[in-house]
């Protein structure tokens, strides 16, 4: 949202939590690049490598929805807490 000049809201926190959850699984940040321009492009496109295959499909799906590039497409905390994986 910062690079798109959008206002901060609770969906920004969901994005951040998705980044932390991804890094806990993959042991690397979801968005990496050689320079800021490359990082900018990857973040805006939502391009990141999949988490390791030994994690469940539910975990993959949770990270995927949390890292949606459109804030409105991300779940809120209530929806996340209702998920069976949680």
């Amino acid at each position: 949202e910062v690079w798109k000049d959008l206002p901060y809201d609770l969906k920004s926190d969901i994005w951040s939590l998705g980044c932390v959850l991804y890094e806990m699984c993959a042991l690397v940040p979801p968005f990496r690049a050689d320079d800021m321009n490359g990082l900018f492009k990857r973040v805006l496109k939502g391009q990141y490598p999949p988490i390791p295959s030994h994690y469940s499909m539910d975990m993959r799906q949770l990270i995927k929805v949390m890292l949606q590039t459109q804030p409105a497409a991300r779940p809120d905390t209530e929806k996340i807490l209702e998920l069976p994986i949680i």
Side-chain angles (χ1 to χ4, degrees):
E1 281 82 310
V2 171
W3 277 328
K4 292 181 181 178
D5 201 28
L6 296 174
Y8 173 88
D9 64 8
L10 295 176
K11 297 293 183 106
S12 302
D13 289 338
I14 299 298
W15 171 274
S16 297
L17 182 57
C19 289
V20 169
L21 186 57
Y22 179 98
E23 191 163 350
M24 287 174 64
C25 294
L27 303 178
V28 293
F31 303 101
R32 298 187 309 165
D34 294 330
D35 56 35
M36 286 302 288
N37 189 44
L39 182 61
F40 170 81
K41 288 177 182 177
R42 285 182 185 265
V43 169
L44 289 185
K45 290 181 181 178
Q47 293 179 332
Y48 56 89
I51 61 171
S53 60
H54 60 268
Y55 287 99
S56 69
M57 189 55 70
D58 287 339
M59 180 63 77
R60 293 169 183 268
Q61 186 62 28
L62 176 59
I63 291 170
K64 180 180 177 180
V65 298
M66 293 174 93
L67 294 181
Q68 291 292 313
T69 57
Q70 297 299 320
R74 293 179 212 140
D76 59 22
T77 51
E78 286 182 30
K79 293 287 184 197
I80 291 171
L81 291 173
E82 291 172 358
L83 295 173
I85 190 172
I86 303 301

